[in-house]
Amino acid sequence: MRCLIAALVLVFAAWHPAMAQSDAQFRNWLETQVWPDAQKQGVSRATFNQALAGITPDRKLPDLGQPGQAPKVNWQSEFSAPGRYLSENNVAPLVSIGRAQMKQWASVLDQVEKRYGVPKEIVVAIWGRESAFGRAAIPKSAIRTLATQAYAGSRRDLFYPELIAALKILQGDHIPLSEMKSSIAGALGQPQFLPSKYLVYAVDFDGDGRRDIWKSVPDTLASIANYLKQHGWQSGRHWGHEARVPDGVHCAVEGPDKTYTLNDFQKAGSTGVDGSALPGAGSDSRYLMMPAGRLGPAFIVSKNFYVLKEYNESDLYALFVGHVSDRLRGGGNIVGKWNTVAGFKRGDVRAMQERLVAQGYDVGGADGLVGFKTRTAIGLWQGKNGMTPTCFPDAKLIGAIR
Ligand code: CA
């Protein structure tokens, strides 16, 4: 009986007049808009037909809606403290499986490091973070996902060129259609590249003529390294180090837009966490990075840290990758403590950001997230209002910023 009801529901859904009309519109859009653009980019009719024959929009995807509509954010969700992202529960499994992967792929990793100048531990850390070393289920058909987002998503301008790029990948015969899987956000294969990034940065490292970032581990590892190299990774330079940064250094000097030298930080009394001198030449460019302001550990980072952010724009992502890579080299845990930050919602952070903007501060966008611009704005506001700068929100401070 349940089967029969399920079947009736399916029949109803398939014949629902609104949906039937909408699917006809979808097909019309594919034919009149996507096909001419794909053809101009060298996609054959055969590839186009094979990729899009019979497909319907995937209405289960998130962020479907009118163009320009902001993706849905739960402003009532508890603000997620940065320490959680770097908790040992998240880090330790990646380090342990990562070590085994480094043994298994030692020879390929040595060749990748030699060719691209990116440390193998960094490459392995990203591989682990993006797809659990290729073990994560990558569930979606890339073409259907991108076509749906390009047709019915709230960010159609972003996804339309990605759909065309995905058709070009198919045209290049790098992967059979049935194996061309993506995340729900259209990110491809083990390194999770968007199709446009794939076209520029993916490489064939195992020499079979295909850039296969879905099944080939050598292609995956080399593609990650090539991506970082092309974004400016400087060979022989570490991403950064955890540091002791004296209170005399204002936390608002944080960020990639404020360049200092290693000498500057040393003169101000900054050292490694064990009190030793920070490594590097005195004239090297360095940046202060404090993902939780004075409420968490401090890092003095090189330009390579910001190359990691080209992979994912979150400070915590880049720090996670850098830290896992250190652990893969035998390094220890982060020493500084992450203070508990709790008792307010993401929407409270947004409201605080809007109040700071109204007072002329640059928070980098009122999105309820605490990036370096928001941290800096908070620190400057605290200094101006006679408070000790922490550069990070807490429940009391959110109430005080008026
Ligand atoms: Ca290959």
Side-chain angles (χ1 to χ4, degrees), residues 8 10 29 45 83 107 116 124-125 158 211-212 223 243 246 270 304 316 340 355 375 384:
L8 283 171
L10 278 176
W29 171 78
R45 187 70 207 185
S107 149
Y116 298 99
V124 168
L158 170 74
R211 298 191 266 161
D212 180 358
S223 296
S270 304
N304 281 344
L316 291 172
T340 309
R355 294 194 293 272
R375 298 196 288 270
K384 198 176 164 201

Side-chain angles (χ1 to χ4, degrees), residues 327-346:
R327 296 274 292 271
L328 289 170
R329 296 156 73 110
N333 294 23
I334 291 173
V335 173
K337 292 286 165 270
W338 303 90
N339 287 22
T340 309
V341 180
F344 54 96
K345 298 180 168 51
R346 190 170 166 186

Side-chain angles (χ1 to χ4, degrees), residues 204-212 216 219:
D204 169 26
F205 202 71
D206 60 14
D208 70 350
R210 295 172 181 227
R211 298 191 266 161
D212 180 358
S216 164
D219 288 7

Side-chain angles (χ1 to χ4, degrees), residues 159-369:
F159 282 106
Y160 188 78
E162 298 298 345
L163 172 60
I164 305 290
L167 292 168
K168 285 174 77 174
I169 295 170
L170 275 180
Q171 183 69 37
D173 199 24
H174 296 287
I175 182 82
L177 176 66
S178 61
E179 293 173 19
M180 190 174 171
K181 299 291 188 180
S182 77
S183 71
I184 56 170
L188 304 176
Q190 300 189 32
Q192 290 284 281
F193 283 172
L194 279 172
S196 60
K197 304 287 186 195
Y198 171 99
L199 288 174
V200 181
Y201 302 111
V203 291
D204 169 26
F205 202 71
D206 60 14
D208 70 350
R210 295 172 181 227
R211 298 191 266 161
D212 180 358
I213 58 169
W214 292 265
K215 296 262 171 64
S216 164
V217 171
D219 288 7
T220 295
L221 299 174
S223 296
I224 292 170
N226 184 46
Y227 185 97
L228 296 178
K229 179 185 166 70
Q230 301 300 330
H231 282 86
W233 184 274
Q234 293 173 322
S235 173
R237 183 158 290 180
H238 204 61
W239 66 271
H241 295 90
E242 191 182 353
R244 273 194 220 153
V245 179
D247 288 342
V249 177
H250 197 304
C251 51
V253 306
E254 193 204 341
D257 52 348
K258 301 172 201 87
T259 311
Y260 298 92
T261 62
L262 183 56
N263 250 338
D264 294 331
F265 283 113
Q266 283 171 335
K267 276 189 209 153
S270 304
T271 64
V273 272
D274 57 359
S276 63
L278 286 160
S283 59
D284 285 351
S285 299
R286 289 287 189 276
Y287 311 84
L288 179 62
M289 211 287 290
M290 292 176 130
R294 285 282 176 196
L295 306 184
F299 302 85
I300 290 177
V301 301
S302 74
K303 280 203 171 78
N304 281 344
F305 179 82
Y306 297 101
V307 175
L308 293 175
K309 283 186 69 175
E310 297 284 346
Y311 212 102
N312 179 317
E313 66 181 353
S314 151
D315 281 333
L316 291 172
Y317 175 92
L319 179 59
F320 185 92
V321 165
H323 177 61
V324 168
S325 78
D326 285 352
R327 296 274 292 271
L328 289 170
R329 296 156 73 110
N333 294 23
I334 291 173
V335 173
K337 292 286 165 270
W338 303 90
N339 287 22
T340 309
V341 180
F344 54 96
K345 298 180 168 51
R346 190 170 166 186
D348 298 328
V349 174
R350 181 177 61 166
M352 175 200 70
Q353 287 172 320
E354 284 166 350
R355 294 194 293 272
L356 285 167
V357 170
Q359 294 179 42
Y361 292 91
D362 177 11
V363 299
D367 56 3
L369 303 174

